[in-house]
Amino acid sequence: MDISTMDSYESDSDTSTVEVSSDDTPMPTPGVGGTTPRGRGRGRPGSKSITQSSSNTSLEGMDTGRRGRLHSALGPRSARRRRGEEEDNGPETVDPEEKLALLLIEALADHSRQRLRATHMSLRRYGSVENRVSQKDLQLAFTENQIKFSHRLLQMMTEIYEDHGGVDYERLYKCLMAAHLKTGRDSVKARLMRNDLTSKQEMSKEQRDYDFLCRLEDLLIQDRTFFDIEVLRKDFQGKDTNRTGKIGRETVFLVCDMRTPLYGALLKNLLKRCDEDHNDMISWPEFLSFLEKSQQMAWRRCPELAELPEKAKLAAFSIASNPIEELSSGAKTRVVSRLLKKASLQKEKSTLSTISREKSVDESVPQATTTNEQPNPPQQANQPSPKIEPANQKTEPDPVKAVPDSKEKESKDTSVKQAKKSPDDAPGPPPMIEVDKPSDEGSGTPTKQSTQGPPKGAVAPEPEPPLEPDIDESNKHAVTLEVHGKKVKVVQPEAYKDSSLPIDPPQERLQLDWVYGYRGNDCRCNIYILDNDEIIYFISNIAVMYNRDVHTQRHYKEHTEDIKCMAVHSNGNIVATGQYAGKKDDKSQAHIRVWRADTLGTVHVLGLGNFIKAVMCLSFQKDSDLLAAVDNSQEKTLSLWNVADGTHVASTVLHVDVICDIGFNPHHTDLLVSIGKEHLAWWKVYPETNKITTHAKPEYDNYLRAKFVICLTHTDKGDLVTGDSNGTIYVWGDGGNKITNFVKHGHDGPVFTVLHHRHHLVSGGRDGVMYSWQWTKNMDGAGKVEISKSEGGVRMIQIHKETLLLGTTMNSLLSVVMATKGSPLDGATLEMLPLTQGHFDELRGLTTMPQSFIGADFLTAGVDGIICKFSTEIHQPVWKIVMKGATFLCADCSIDGKLLVLGTHDGHLVILGLDAEDLSVTEVCNKKISKDRLDSIRLAPDCASLAVGGHDRAVYIYSLQDKEEGDKAWEMLGKCKGHRGPVTAIDWSREKVGNTHLLRSSSTTPEQFFWNPTTCAREEGKNAVSLSWCTSNCTVDYAVAGIWSSKQAKEATVNTIDVNPNKTVIAMGDNNGCLSLFRYPCPKDGAFSHTYKCHLNVQTVRFSPSGKYVLTIGGRDSCVMQWKIV
């Protein structure tokens, strides 16, 4: 398949379902028939009005039509005779068909060939066996397929192609196709052209959303209709059984077909807009938001449309009020007699079935149990006599009665109960007996269970050991929740008692705004420049396109696992990215995604099931659609793919332990080079015969051969340049396998990247130095630039305008301003502010600071010992420090960011002070407080105390104490014990109880504990009923109880939650990589949510201090994502 046919955004003119009315069609007048939402079909009010108006115009031109029919009736011979007489008597006249064809070229310029074919099918459906249609059917066929012709053109078609049987639509269709071919649209020439060689000017997301709103507004005004939002919401909620805010595309299509006037390209593109994950799951709250906003715009523009919903209700009520009253007296009598006769027949039928069922039951009962049929049976032990209770009396269920006997009794008393029970005096439901056994759905609702012992042959389950209650049983504020099959008691705050809370998804939604970090620690060749000057790189499962001029990012998010490699086509628009293999499902297999950078639309998915473990490296052939890839199998398979049609071309085995990179020679395009551990080889590519053959092996002669050949590049003349683990650079001239030049030990350590630019060779290595070498016989040095030790080594160099982009091994992206002439590094300057920075190891610590003195508003701390501060408003890193040897897992700081508290993997508590003047850092405390790791930490509101939650299931309390010398030091007050799992979250109370702030904590075992930090003792939950909390990170609480019944919580582990500053939204992250938004508070089961796929594992989630953004970190992917609330 040609890439040019794959476009993610379809225009309305490319389909046959865009609604366009005829030029001469008046606007339909509003009425009852046009006030209700409608679906597709021939009976649309708009289509009916168009047909009627077109018929009227045909009647007005009846004289012209008669002359046309008379001319056709004379026959072709008479017509030719008349044309011959005109030629003899005067100047040459134009053939009517040619004149029509010329006029049709302009009229058909906005219509596709596909639409004409659809019109041809409609004409065949309406036509006769003689290939004739009437004028009315002809106009109807054009109207159905949204082809707009003027009245003059329709009249000419009728005059030329109509005879005694009607309009010859086959001849007309040939004329239409011939005229359409001259427009150049969808022609053979156009289909052979490639439209992916240059990038398209894509509208921004805001512009596309506004365009959707305007088109929906125009649809409502043109059709004089409306969207019934409440009915649609109920339908979508009923279809959304998982309560994730998403339902299937086909389901939305069916609902919209029945409930809305939407159809065709507008509906299709709108659904594509609401499917951000590209998995055919539509965000129905966002879809309804578009409809609701567009309807409000339409009502402001045409206020009379606001009355349509009320008119539709009145019309429906008048029709459904009492249809029998509208009948005549004779009809009423017949209807009533038939209903009575039908009711008597049904009653007799039910009586006969009841008698036959009783006989069958009696015959199946053994003789010993027939005593139940006696009028006064003797009373037996443990078996009460059957009684018929009055209809208005509640019967108490007998838990001791056996289940088979109850079923038998129910079957025997069915007829008696049906005879005496009526809908008005039906008894209420029996009281439910609560047994400590969870329901099947895990909703927290107790189920009614029989107290009878287990049946014979069944193994009785072992009783669970008694657990210490989380909340005092006598506490009237205690509420029992069910979390993963376990009962947990939590405190119900006073503010939430007797309040009706909605379960709808929140109005707020998320949009990925920024991604911090870059993957240079273990990936190569991962920075490229697109045709529109955007810088493209990747981290986690996101490909980032950064526009440095306007400081914005775009993101490709369709990978299911972390991206490993990348390549960009010569046109600068087609991108190929390869990913690791996961363990979840078939979609997480290692594969290559080929996509367009301008539209972010996926063109092909290559190699599903073919690649082992990961796609390690990729390379495009110059000015070609041939893509080379190597996987991570044991022997490393090299494969070739055609990205134009997505086909596999050829493959071979490299027989190498470690593969580092591959690359096509731009001068000798059929040569491919592969490098790796003790490996350098040239391959000959034959795409015509689907073959790859070995071309050459390197000849080192007397030169030193390194263990690893790490990087490569080609010059425009076909010279190969390689860098190895010895720090040596070799030049292999003109596609050959012999060394023609070299730089011996150019770097102190391995060479990671080489680049040829302006007759100089630029190289970077693990030593953190970038050198420039003259492209001469001696390869003399011509300048160098050294980066900070905190940034690690230089992983990759790329040219962007007048700067050199540097990707580092510590996952930062730096820039160097090149010299204007001569050597690129002679006088070059390294810019102080990085384009982006991040972590290179596992990232777990994330906290916010509302009033930072350096302009940052959130902080991250990782196992790599790096602490970074960022600003969500300017999307830039602000501050960074590296503490070697520290392995941070959790972090918190004061509101101004001057005091930092951190917990490490080896159990150390680290407290740092930041000076506001020179930004120097002082280590205030560094103590080992636990043998196990520290998972959570939180400062008290007064910053005089802190609590640390450990993996050893304890909460450590530290306080700032006065010393004899007048100094202050952090001392341990005590340890709070009682949790049954590692402590994952801690919250401090905003108010004081007594002289101290209380704290609450939660763990991996769902439980809620309250603590008094002064005594380190458990606090009763009733003392915390009226408290407000500085943070809301504890996963078990009454206000967030509803999240545990969600699909996300049932299928994954809830790692983290947070509540926005306005206390209206909950953000939840789980280990399946889902980020979910719920309303706050969310105490009820069945709450709806918005769900977004982000990291592979959402480790921590926090709202920014402004409440405008949601921040997430992904643990092992070392990535920070910033989501904008829209």
Side-chain angles (χ1 to χ4, degrees), residues 516-537:
Y516 299 92
Y518 152 84
R519 185 161 186 170
N521 182 48
D522 57 350
C523 295
R524 304 175 178 86
C525 300
N526 48 11
I527 305 175
Y528 292 92
I529 308 300
L530 297 176
D531 182 56
N532 57 0
D533 282 336
E534 285 183 327
I535 305 167
I536 182 171
Y537 56 93

Side-chain angles (χ1 to χ4, degrees), residues 690-703:
N690 299 337
K691 290 183 179 179
I692 306 175
T693 60
T694 302
H695 179 68
K697 295 293 184 181
E699 295 183 6
Y700 282 95
D701 295 334
N702 296 327
Y703 294 99

Side-chain angles (χ1 to χ4, degrees), residues 383-594:
Q383 183 175 357
S385 60
K387 294 190 298 180
I388 302 177
E389 298 290 343
N392 57 355
Q393 182 177 353
K394 295 183 179 180
T395 59
E396 294 293 330
D398 190 359
V400 185
K401 190 172 180 62
V403 175
D405 293 341
S406 63
K407 290 184 178 179
E408 181 181 343
K409 189 66 181 177
E410 181 182 358
S411 65
K412 286 191 175 185
D413 292 344
T414 301
S415 60
V416 180
K417 291 183 180 180
Q418 288 179 352
K420 292 191 175 184
K421 187 168 59 176
S422 64
D424 296 331
D425 56 357
M432 183 70 71
I433 299 177
E434 181 178 349
V435 182
D436 287 341
K437 181 175 181 180
S439 62
D440 295 337
E441 286 141 50
S443 61
T445 305
T447 56
K448 189 169 81 172
Q449 301 289 339
S450 173
T451 57
Q452 187 180 5
K456 294 182 180 181
V459 180
E462 296 182 2
E464 295 185 359
L467 300 176
E468 183 181 358
D470 302 340
I471 306 296
D472 186 9
E473 294 286 351
S474 62
N475 184 10
K476 63 180 180 179
H477 300 284
V479 177
T480 302
L481 303 178
E482 186 171 337
V483 179
H484 289 320
K486 298 180 180 179
K487 290 190 176 295
V488 182
K489 295 187 180 298
V490 297
V491 172
Q492 182 180 8
E494 291 286 352
Y496 303 140
K497 295 187 70 66
D498 301 328
S499 60
S500 58
L501 299 173
I503 62 173
D504 293 340
Q507 295 181 353
E508 297 84 351
R509 287 181 295 275
L510 297 181
Q511 175 183 326
L512 184 59
D513 181 55
W514 207 264
V515 177
Y516 299 92
Y518 152 84
R519 185 161 186 170
N521 182 48
D522 57 350
C523 295
R524 304 175 178 86
C525 300
N526 48 11
I527 305 175
Y528 292 92
I529 308 300
L530 297 176
D531 182 56
N532 57 0
D533 282 336
E534 285 183 327
I535 305 167
I536 182 171
Y537 56 93
F538 62 82
I539 182 172
S540 184
N541 57 348
I542 306 290
V544 182
M545 286 145 285
Y546 172 57
N547 190 324
R548 194 176 183 186
D549 296 333
V550 295
H551 193 57
T552 57
Q553 284 186 356
R554 297 188 299 129
H555 310 95
Y556 180 77
K557 303 178 294 182
E558 296 192 27
H559 276 281
T560 56
E561 297 290 334
D562 285 350
I563 301 176
K564 175 62 178 174
C565 56
M566 174 186 291
V568 177
H569 196 277
S570 302
N571 59 19
N573 185 37
I574 300 299
V575 183
T577 45
Q579 72 171 40
Y580 285 92
K583 300 180 180 179
K584 297 179 182 179
D585 50 26
D586 294 339
K587 293 183 179 179
S588 62
Q589 293 179 352
H591 64 268
I592 303 170
R593 303 189 80 89
V594 182

Side-chain angles (χ1 to χ4, degrees), residues 209 213 216 270 273 286-294:
D209 290 349
L213 293 176
L216 291 170
L270 184 58
R273 163 63 181 85
E286 188 172 14
F287 181 79
L288 288 181
S289 177
F290 275 101
L291 303 187
E292 191 170 6
K293 290 180 181 178
S294 63

Side-chain angles (χ1 to χ4, degrees), residues 109 169 227 271 296 352 692 733 760 769 781 789 840 1098 1107:
Y169 65 81
F227 298 126
L271 294 183
Q296 292 173 358
L352 292 175
I692 306 175
H760 284 77
V769 182
K789 296 295 183 183
F840 65 88
V1098 182

